[in-house]
Amino acid sequence: MLRFLNQCSRGRGAWLLMALTAFALELVALWFQHGMGLQPCVMCIYERCALLGVMGAGLLGAIAPNTPLRYAALAVWLYSAGKGIALAWEHTMIQLHPSPFMTCDFAARFPAWLPLDKWLPQMFVASGDCAVRQWEFLTLEMPQWLVGIFAAYFIVALLVLIAQFFKPKKRDLFGR
C-alpha cells in the first residue's frame, strides 16, 4: 500500500483529486451560506481557510509531482489538515459546551498583507455565533463533520509522507 501511495504522489491525478475534494467542500460551505441562509461564524471562516490550504496543497503538488515540490505540498497539506482539526475541535467544544467564558471573536483576524475579508467578503466575513447550532446531519453538527474530514485528510497525508520512504517498484516488460 505504501508503494502505491508513493506512486500516486508522483502523479498529478491524486493531487488534483485532493484539490477537487477540498474545492467541492468549499462549494458546499458557500451553498450553506448563500443557498440555505446559514450564517458562518469566525470559526467557520477559519475552517474554510484551512480547507483552502488543503486545496492549495493539492494544486501545489499537481504542478510538479515528480520534483521536491511534492514535499512542500505535503508540508502544506499536513499543516492545513492539522490546523483544520484543531479549529474544528475547538468549534465543536464551543457548540457542545456553551459558556460565556468560551466564545469566539466577532470578526476574523486576517494579517494586513492578506485581508481576505476585504477581498472576498461574500466568503470570508463572519456574521454568525460560534455556539449556535444551525445544521445537523446524522446527529452530528457541521464542526463535528469537519473534525472527521480534516482527520481523514491528515491521516492520508501522514501515510503519503511515510510512503515517500518506500521506492515504487520498477516494472519490467511483463509487468512483474
Side-chain angles (χ1 to χ4, degrees), residues 48-122:
R48 283 183 188 180
C49 292
L51 202 51
L52 283 173
V54 172
M55 186 172 74
L59 295 175
L60 183 64
I63 291 173
N66 252 342
T67 67
L69 189 61
R70 175 176 78 246
Y71 297 108
L74 264 169
V76 172
W77 182 8
L78 280 165
Y79 176 77
S80 297
K83 194 70 170 168
I85 291 169
L87 289 165
W89 182 258
E90 182 181 347
H91 192 182
T92 298
M93 291 300 106
I94 289 172
Q95 282 192 346
L96 293 180
H97 309 290
S99 165
F101 304 108
M102 187 181 225
T103 61
C104 59
D105 296 332
F106 292 113
R109 293 186 208 167
F110 293 110
W113 55 270
L114 190 67
L116 294 175
D117 54 339
K118 307 282 187 280
W119 294 345
L120 286 169
Q122 302 85 357

Side-chain angles (χ1 to χ4, degrees), residues 119-165:
W119 294 345
L120 286 169
Q122 302 85 357
M123 187 171 178
F124 294 108
V125 169
S127 55
D129 181 7
C130 295
V132 173
R133 297 177 179 192
Q134 300 183 65
W135 180 86
E136 180 181 303
F137 181 67
L138 298 176
T139 71
L140 295 176
E141 302 289 331
M142 198 173 309
Q144 293 169 320
W145 280 103
L146 285 173
V147 168
I149 289 167
F150 282 119
Y153 277 129
F154 191 80
I155 290 168
V156 173
L158 278 178
L159 289 173
V160 171
L161 178 65
I162 293 167
Q164 299 309 303
F165 301 105

